[in-house]
Amino acid sequence: MSQTDPTIRKLEPEALRQVCSADFFEAQTQEPCRATGIIGQKRAVRSVQFGLEVPSPGYNIFITGVTGTGKSTYARAAVNAKAKDRETPADWCYLYNFSEPESPKAISLPPGQGVVFRDDMKEFVEDARTAITHEFEGGDYEKQRAQIAEKFQKGINRTFEELEKEVRSKGFALQRSSGGFAPVPLDDEGNPITAEDFAKLDEEKRREIESKGTEIQRDIRSAMREVRQYEKETKSAIRELEKRMGSFAIRPLIEQLQEKYEGFPDIQEYLENVHEDIIGQLERFKTGEDEGPQAQGAQLQLALLGGGSQDDQFKRYQVNLFVNHAETQGAPAVEETNPTYYNLFGKMEYQATMGQMSTDHTMIRPGAVHLANGGYLILRAEDVLMNALSWDALKRSLKGNQIRIENIGEQYRLVPTATIKPEPIPLDVKVILIGSPLIYHLLYAYDPDFAKYFKVKADFDTQMDRNEDYLNQYCRFVQAVVEREQLLPFESSAIAAIVDHGSRLTEDQKKLSARFNEVVEIVYESDAWARFDDAESVTSDHVEKAVEEKIYRSSMIEDHTREAISRGKILVSTEGKAIGQVNGLSVISVGNYAFGRPSRITANTYLGNAGVVNIERQVKLSGTSHSKGVLILSGYLAEQFAHDKPLSVSASITFEQTYGGVDGDSASSAELYALLSSLSGVPLKQSIAVTGSVNQKGELQPIGGVNYKIEGFYYTCKARGLTGDQGVLIPKQNVDNLMLNQEVITAVENGDFHIWAADDIRTGIELMTGVPTGEKDEEGQYPEDTVFGKVDRELRRMAETLRHFGRKSKDEQENTGDSSTTEE
């Protein structure tokens, strides 16, 4: 390897971690805490503010991002701040619909007036009962009623007297029975003629009596019609008297309410309907009792249709204060954490009435959409989608701009049942959905209505730039948490350690983590460890202790893996050299914990035309990215060595002792090193582990999890014994991703461990073998004592050998054919 080659370098300790100076935060920790709100989310904040400002339909907001980035916290803060500046929406009430009892009527009132109207109607009913009772218990009502009865009784008496006179004149008398009146013939002395006497009469006399009897029957029927007309007129006159006196009693009360609610046409109409209904239901107000079985049946039917309850005959005059904004300041901001269908869109409750389930307008209950109407509604997308019918009903409401209350059961009954159908309420709400990127993209791809109703996307990032402004905000954020939760004060060194941990979470020296849940966890746990030490403040040592303990609690599988490597159960070499064998590095994720693990990668090459065979792919353990990385190796070999000969080689590559899936292309450079070593016969250093992907031109490309991988190999070497020759080779693009723990940095400082950065395969293989790769001469040949020269010579040998065997096989076939012909 050339000593002057600038494409590979050994990294110094200061390049392995971006360390924040405690002096930077010294002044800030002495100042009072000033909360800064959300940090480092300019794009998301701008999107949310835009969505909240636009009043047009469809500009609802979908806030997306991974868990812990402050989506919900910011949504609440932004919505509450905006809601304070908006006008408070109207109250909504449901009233009994006198013309259509099955369709309760919805009316709106200025905020705070709904409760006033409800109380006014309650007081009105009590006053009306008192006034009507007083009016009908007075002597004037009884006197007028008696006069009407007397008047019509005289007419009835006169009718019966005239009928009696007419009957007598025809020689008959009237006999009253349960069936009415019956004419009875009389003899000359005025006595009733019996049946036996009637039978003794001659035929002519009998016919005469029967004829007169028929005439009298007609007279009786005519008289009874007059009597029934008198009774009807009597009842009508009494009803008119009662209506007149009832109206006289309640009209002043009605007019008082109409004057108070003069500017509300719906209430004016409702009060007129109340007046007419009370006049038609005076018996309830006079006695408080039903009129009989027919009245009970009618009342039950009304109860089932929302007209009242058997237990409360005056419920139809009650006001259901459906949405009350008397105490609301500005627009409502509602967050529904359990968005079931009923919790969102309200419901109609039922109660047992005379053996049947009944409901009415007073039993209609609001949902979160009603309570947020005129303001803002915050929902978690996953919860909405998991609750049956909620998502479809939400879209339907947004589409129609109205909220309709329907019980779920009505949609699944085979036989429709009588129930109420409340009048829909106009909808004006801004919906803020919070969900993961996966849910957003699934809805966008598979729900054609989603993009129409959620036009604003606010995407919360997981990281932010590590600049002075955000460092200051990070400090204030930590201080705000300390003050809010009454934690021990954090020294400047502790805040610096928190900042460094934030960069560690992003695996980037130039970034800070925006996953504030994880940052806050370390703040809480650092405080706990400081209290265990009886310290008066939190220092960097407590922060480091919190991080170490958090790792320890989740690292059982990692410890078992290291133990298996130390005991030789998992074969990994950390010393010596081997042909076609290299230490690759992978990241194992277990829930919320990840760690690096070295794996032995081996390559064998032999005659054939199969190319590079990925064993993991053959047994379906290889992911698409890993399979692509292996296929790229053939492209690189062809680019370097197949311009003057065919690439006639078969090779097998595998991750040894891996029994689960393998994915990602970060091991493609290690696989290529093993392949070149196998072809050239030059051994690779087992003290160096390799990570990095490679393209067909041989350029190394950055990978993820570089810190986990380096630390994983370091601890493996530490368990086996550090020799001073061990280390890790990484792509140079990953240098600014290094945020290694202090133990590894110390080992590098002491020369016990090393980290190299390279930008292509040539420099990497030179480090791994200690042999130069070589450059082509004018004839396109590599020097024989170089890695590429040995590879080229081996590939040429394989091609010639394969061609020789191919020619020999062809000759044998031809000879076999000639022999057959001769024998014939």
Side-chain angles (χ1 to χ4, degrees), residues 346-369:
K347 59 186 175 181
M348 294 169 286
E349 295 179 344
Y350 287 79
Q351 66 179 11
T353 302
M354 298 182 68
Q356 300 190 47
M357 300 303 294
S358 65
T359 186
D360 56 57
H361 73 285
T362 65
M363 301 174 71
I364 307 172
R365 301 291 179 256
V369 178

PDB file of all heavy atoms in Angstrom, residues 346-369:
ATOM      1  N   GLY A 346     -71.728  11.328  18.536  1.00  0.00           N
ATOM      2  CA  GLY A 346     -72.873  11.377  19.427  1.00  0.00           C
ATOM      3  C   GLY A 346     -73.753  10.142  19.312  1.00  0.00           C
ATOM      4  O   GLY A 346     -73.519   9.243  18.501  1.00  0.00           O
ATOM      5  N   LYS A 347     -74.795  10.132  20.125  1.00  0.00           N
ATOM      6  CA  LYS A 347     -75.664   8.957  20.150  1.00  0.00           C
ATOM      7  C   LYS A 347     -77.021   9.338  20.709  1.00  0.00           C
ATOM      8  O   LYS A 347     -77.218  10.424  21.253  1.00  0.00           O
ATOM      9  CB  LYS A 347     -75.044   7.869  21.016  1.00  0.00           C
ATOM     10  CG  LYS A 347     -74.788   8.301  22.460  1.00  0.00           C
ATOM     11  CD  LYS A 347     -74.042   7.235  23.222  1.00  0.00           C
ATOM     12  CE  LYS A 347     -73.690   7.727  24.636  1.00  0.00           C
ATOM     13  NZ  LYS A 347     -72.943   6.710  25.394  1.00  0.00           N
ATOM     14  N   MET A 348     -77.960   8.390  20.574  1.00  0.00           N
ATOM     15  CA  MET A 348     -79.281   8.514  21.174  1.00  0.00           C
ATOM     16  C   MET A 348     -79.406   7.444  22.241  1.00  0.00           C
ATOM     17  O   MET A 348     -79.328   6.246  21.932  1.00  0.00           O
ATOM     18  CB  MET A 348     -80.364   8.360  20.104  1.00  0.00           C
ATOM     19  CG  MET A 348     -80.372   9.485  19.093  1.00  0.00           C
ATOM     20  SD  MET A 348     -81.410   9.158  17.662  1.00  0.00           S
ATOM     21  CE  MET A 348     -80.419   7.954  16.777  1.00  0.00           C
ATOM     22  N   GLU A 349     -79.562   7.861  23.474  1.00  0.00           N
ATOM     23  CA  GLU A 349     -79.699   6.903  24.564  1.00  0.00           C
ATOM     24  C   GLU A 349     -81.137   6.415  24.640  1.00  0.00           C
ATOM     25  O   GLU A 349     -82.065   7.084  24.160  1.00  0.00           O
ATOM     26  CB  GLU A 349     -79.283   7.552  25.885  1.00  0.00           C
ATOM     27  CG  GLU A 349     -77.805   7.929  25.928  1.00  0.00           C
ATOM     28  CD  GLU A 349     -77.418   8.600  27.221  1.00  0.00           C
ATOM     29  OE1 GLU A 349     -78.341   9.044  27.951  1.00  0.00           O
ATOM     30  OE2 GLU A 349     -76.218   8.684  27.519  1.00  0.00           O
ATOM     31  N   TYR A 350     -81.312   5.244  25.247  1.00  0.00           N
ATOM     32  CA  TYR A 350     -82.640   4.634  25.370  1.00  0.00           C
ATOM     33  C   TYR A 350     -82.909   4.296  26.826  1.00  0.00           C
ATOM     34  O   TYR A 350     -81.992   4.086  27.611  1.00  0.00           O
ATOM     35  CB  TYR A 350     -82.732   3.363  24.524  1.00  0.00           C
ATOM     36  CG  TYR A 350     -82.817   3.618  23.043  1.00  0.00           C
ATOM     37  CD1 TYR A 350     -81.686   3.932  22.310  1.00  0.00           C
ATOM     38  CD2 TYR A 350     -84.031   3.559  22.372  1.00  0.00           C
ATOM     39  CE1 TYR A 350     -81.753   4.172  20.947  1.00  0.00           C
ATOM     40  CE2 TYR A 350     -84.119   3.791  21.014  1.00  0.00           C
ATOM     41  CZ  TYR A 350     -82.974   4.098  20.304  1.00  0.00           C
ATOM     42  OH  TYR A 350     -83.058   4.337  18.967  1.00  0.00           O
ATOM     43  N   GLN A 351     -84.211   4.233  27.149  1.00  0.00           N
ATOM     44  CA  GLN A 351     -84.620   3.800  28.469  1.00  0.00           C
ATOM     45  C   GLN A 351     -85.874   2.931  28.330  1.00  0.00           C
ATOM     46  O   GLN A 351     -86.594   3.020  27.334  1.00  0.00           O
ATOM     47  CB  GLN A 351     -84.903   4.985  29.386  1.00  0.00           C
ATOM     48  CG  GLN A 351     -86.105   5.811  28.966  1.00  0.00           C
ATOM     49  CD  GLN A 351     -86.357   6.973  29.916  1.00  0.00           C
ATOM     50  OE1 GLN A 351     -85.518   7.270  30.756  1.00  0.00           O
ATOM     51  NE2 GLN A 351     -87.491   7.617  29.772  1.00  0.00           N
ATOM     52  N   ALA A 352     -86.106   2.080  29.328  1.00  0.00           N
ATOM     53  CA  ALA A 352     -87.266   1.195  29.292  1.00  0.00           C
ATOM     54  C   ALA A 352     -88.526   1.982  29.632  1.00  0.00           C
ATOM     55  O   ALA A 352     -88.614   2.631  30.674  1.00  0.00           O
ATOM     56  CB  ALA A 352     -87.094   0.049  30.283  1.00  0.00           C
ATOM     57  N   THR A 353     -89.503   1.937  28.716  1.00  0.00           N
ATOM     58  CA  THR A 353     -90.774   2.631  28.930  1.00  0.00           C
ATOM     59  C   THR A 353     -91.911   1.667  28.654  1.00  0.00           C
ATOM     60  O   THR A 353     -92.091   1.215  27.520  1.00  0.00           O
ATOM     61  CB  THR A 353     -90.887   3.851  27.985  1.00  0.00           C
ATOM     62  OG1 THR A 353     -89.795   4.729  28.221  1.00  0.00           O
ATOM     63  CG2 THR A 353     -92.206   4.580  28.213  1.00  0.00           C
ATOM     64  N   MET A 354     -92.659   1.311  29.720  1.00  0.00           N
ATOM     65  CA  MET A 354     -93.801   0.417  29.618  1.00  0.00           C
ATOM     66  C   MET A 354     -93.420  -0.870  28.881  1.00  0.00           C
ATOM     67  O   MET A 354     -94.111  -1.342  27.984  1.00  0.00           O
ATOM     68  CB  MET A 354     -94.978   1.107  28.909  1.00  0.00           C
ATOM     69  CG  MET A 354     -95.488   2.328  29.668  1.00  0.00           C
ATOM     70  SD  MET A 354     -96.901   3.104  28.893  1.00  0.00           S
ATOM     71  CE  MET A 354     -98.148   1.820  29.138  1.00  0.00           C
ATOM     72  N   GLY A 355     -92.264  -1.434  29.256  1.00  0.00           N
ATOM     73  CA  GLY A 355     -91.819  -2.694  28.691  1.00  0.00           C
ATOM     74  C   GLY A 355     -91.111  -2.579  27.363  1.00  0.00           C
ATOM     75  O   GLY A 355     -90.710  -3.584  26.786  1.00  0.00           O
ATOM     76  N   GLN A 356     -90.935  -1.362  26.859  1.00  0.00           N
ATOM     77  CA  GLN A 356     -90.255  -1.188  25.584  1.00  0.00           C
ATOM     78  C   GLN A 356     -89.162  -0.128  25.739  1.00  0.00           C
ATOM     79  O   GLN A 356     -89.227   0.726  26.617  1.00  0.00           O
ATOM     80  CB  GLN A 356     -91.230  -0.743  24.489  1.00  0.00           C
ATOM     81  CG  GLN A 356     -92.349  -1.749  24.245  1.00  0.00           C
ATOM     82  CD  GLN A 356     -93.135  -1.406  23.000  1.00  0.00           C
ATOM     83  OE1 GLN A 356     -92.573  -1.116  21.952  1.00  0.00           O
ATOM     84  NE2 GLN A 356     -94.447  -1.438  23.128  1.00  0.00           N
ATOM     85  N   MET A 357     -88.152  -0.221  24.846  1.00  0.00           N
ATOM     86  CA  MET A 357     -87.071   0.746  24.853  1.00  0.00           C
ATOM     87  C   MET A 357     -87.502   1.987  24.089  1.00  0.00           C
ATOM     88  O   MET A 357     -87.999   1.893  22.962  1.00  0.00           O
ATOM     89  CB  MET A 357     -85.807   0.157  24.220  1.00  0.00           C
ATOM     90  CG  MET A 357     -85.277  -1.080  24.928  1.00  0.00           C
ATOM     91  SD  MET A 357     -84.922  -0.784  26.679  1.00  0.00           S
ATOM     92  CE  MET A 357     -83.562   0.370  26.543  1.00  0.00           C
ATOM     93  N   SER A 358     -87.331   3.129  24.720  1.00  0.00           N
ATOM     94  CA  SER A 358     -87.776   4.374  24.099  1.00  0.00           C
ATOM     95  C   SER A 358     -86.702   5.439  24.237  1.00  0.00           C
ATOM     96  O   SER A 358     -85.789   5.331  25.050  1.00  0.00           O
ATOM     97  CB  SER A 358     -89.081   4.860  24.758  1.00  0.00           C
ATOM     98  OG  SER A 358     -88.834   5.206  26.115  1.00  0.00           O
ATOM     99  N   THR A 359     -86.825   6.449  23.409  1.00  0.00           N
ATOM    100  CA  THR A 359     -85.915   7.586  23.457  1.00  0.00           C
ATOM    101  C   THR A 359     -86.691   8.833  23.089  1.00  0.00           C
ATOM    102  O   THR A 359     -87.847   8.770  22.644  1.00  0.00           O
ATOM    103  CB  THR A 359     -84.723   7.384  22.502  1.00  0.00           C
ATOM    104  OG1 THR A 359     -83.783   8.451  22.694  1.00  0.00           O
ATOM    105  CG2 THR A 359     -85.164   7.360  21.047  1.00  0.00           C
ATOM    106  N   ASP A 360     -86.089   9.973  23.283  1.00  0.00           N
ATOM    107  CA  ASP A 360     -86.710  11.244  22.919  1.00  0.00           C
ATOM    108  C   ASP A 360     -85.623  12.279  22.710  1.00  0.00           C
ATOM    109  O   ASP A 360     -84.433  11.983  22.811  1.00  0.00           O
ATOM    110  CB  ASP A 360     -87.717  11.707  23.986  1.00  0.00           C
ATOM    111  CG  ASP A 360     -87.090  11.819  25.360  1.00  0.00           C
ATOM    112  OD1 ASP A 360     -86.099  12.578  25.489  1.00  0.00           O
ATOM    113  OD2 ASP A 360     -87.563  11.159  26.297  1.00  0.00           O
ATOM    114  N   HIS A 361     -86.018  13.506  22.409  1.00  0.00           N
ATOM    115  CA  HIS A 361     -85.046  14.540  22.047  1.00  0.00           C
ATOM    116  C   HIS A 361     -84.142  14.918  23.209  1.00  0.00           C
ATOM    117  O   HIS A 361     -83.042  15.438  22.995  1.00  0.00           O
ATOM    118  CB  HIS A 361     -85.778  15.776  21.529  1.00  0.00           C
ATOM    119  CG  HIS A 361     -86.490  16.561  22.599  1.00  0.00           C
ATOM    120  ND1 HIS A 361     -87.673  16.140  23.178  1.00  0.00           N
ATOM    121  CD2 HIS A 361     -86.168  17.734  23.218  1.00  0.00           C
ATOM    122  CE1 HIS A 361     -88.043  17.009  24.078  1.00  0.00           C
ATOM    123  NE2 HIS A 361     -87.164  17.986  24.131  1.00  0.00           N
ATOM    124  N   THR A 362     -84.579  14.649  24.447  1.00  0.00           N
ATOM    125  CA  THR A 362     -83.736  15.007  25.596  1.00  0.00           C
ATOM    126  C   THR A 362     -82.643  13.980  25.838  1.00  0.00           C
ATOM    127  O   THR A 362     -81.769  14.204  26.678  1.00  0.00           O
ATOM    128  CB  THR A 362     -84.597  15.130  26.867  1.00  0.00           C
ATOM    129  OG1 THR A 362     -85.147  13.846  27.199  1.00  0.00           O
ATOM    130  CG2 THR A 362     -85.723  16.136  26.672  1.00  0.00           C
ATOM    131  N   MET A 363     -82.674  12.868  25.113  1.00  0.00           N
ATOM    132  CA  MET A 363     -81.692  11.802  25.327  1.00  0.00           C
ATOM    133  C   MET A 363     -80.668  11.734  24.197  1.00  0.00           C
ATOM    134  O   MET A 363     -79.974  10.746  24.019  1.00  0.00           O
ATOM    135  CB  MET A 363     -82.411  10.463  25.480  1.00  0.00           C
ATOM    136  CG  MET A 363     -83.398  10.461  26.647  1.00  0.00           C
ATOM    137  SD  MET A 363     -84.389   8.960  26.747  1.00  0.00           S
ATOM    138  CE  MET A 363     -83.149   7.789  27.287  1.00  0.00           C
ATOM    139  N   ILE A 364     -80.578  12.793  23.411  1.00  0.00           N
ATOM    140  CA  ILE A 364     -79.560  12.884  22.358  1.00  0.00           C
ATOM    141  C   ILE A 364     -78.292  13.449  22.988  1.00  0.00           C
ATOM    142  O   ILE A 364     -78.317  14.498  23.639  1.00  0.00           O
ATOM    143  CB  ILE A 364     -80.038  13.790  21.207  1.00  0.00           C
ATOM    144  CG1 ILE A 364     -81.400  13.334  20.688  1.00  0.00           C
ATOM    145  CG2 ILE A 364     -79.012  13.811  20.081  1.00  0.00           C
ATOM    146  CD1 ILE A 364     -82.015  14.286  19.687  1.00  0.00           C
ATOM    147  N   ARG A 365     -77.172  12.761  22.793  1.00  0.00           N
ATOM    148  CA  ARG A 365     -75.910  13.156  23.414  1.00  0.00           C
ATOM    149  C   ARG A 365     -74.887  13.537  22.347  1.00  0.00           C
ATOM    150  O   ARG A 365     -74.790  12.881  21.310  1.00  0.00           O
ATOM    151  CB  ARG A 365     -75.354  12.017  24.269  1.00  0.00           C
ATOM    152  CG  ARG A 365     -76.311  11.580  25.382  1.00  0.00           C
ATOM    153  CD  ARG A 365     -76.443  12.666  26.440  1.00  0.00           C
ATOM    154  NE  ARG A 365     -77.379  12.257  27.492  1.00  0.00           N
ATOM    155  CZ  ARG A 365     -78.611  12.718  27.609  1.00  0.00           C
ATOM    156  NH1 ARG A 365     -79.062  13.607  26.725  1.00  0.00           N
ATOM    157  NH2 ARG A 365     -79.393  12.309  28.578  1.00  0.00           N
ATOM    158  N   PRO A 366     -74.087  14.575  22.595  1.00  0.00           N
ATOM    159  CA  PRO A 366     -73.125  15.043  21.585  1.00  0.00           C
ATOM    160  C   PRO A 366     -71.864  14.187  21.564  1.00  0.00           C
ATOM    161  O   PRO A 366     -71.536  13.487  22.524  1.00  0.00           O
ATOM    162  CB  PRO A 366     -72.807  16.462  22.045  1.00  0.00           C
ATOM    163  CG  PRO A 366     -72.952  16.404  23.534  1.00  0.00           C
ATOM    164  CD  PRO A 366     -74.087  15.443  23.798  1.00  0.00           C
ATOM    165  N   GLY A 367     -71.141  14.256  20.452  1.00  0.00           N
ATOM    166  CA  GLY A 367     -69.830  13.645  20.318  1.00  0.00           C
ATOM    167  C   GLY A 367     -68.757  14.715  20.213  1.00  0.00           C
ATOM    168  O   GLY A 367     -69.043  15.921  20.260  1.00  0.00           O
ATOM    169  N   ALA A 368     -67.528  14.273  20.048  1.00  0.00           N
ATOM    170  CA  ALA A 368     -66.406  15.209  19.984  1.00  0.00           C
ATOM    171  C   ALA A 368     -66.527  16.150  18.790  1.00  0.00           C
ATOM    172  O   ALA A 368     -66.105  17.308  18.858  1.00  0.00           O
ATOM    173  CB  ALA A 368     -65.091  14.440  19.916  1.00  0.00           C
ATOM    174  N   VAL A 369     -67.089  15.668  17.686  1.00  0.00           N
ATOM    175  CA  VAL A 369     -67.247  16.523  16.509  1.00  0.00           C
ATOM    176  C   VAL A 369     -68.196  17.680  16.817  1.00  0.00           C
ATOM    177  O   VAL A 369     -67.964  18.822  16.381  1.00  0.00           O
ATOM    178  CB  VAL A 369     -67.749  15.701  15.310  1.00  0.00           C
ATOM    179  CG1 VAL A 369     -67.958  16.595  14.098  1.00  0.00           C
ATOM    180  CG2 VAL A 369     -66.762  14.593  14.974  1.00  0.00           C
TER     181      VAL A 369
END
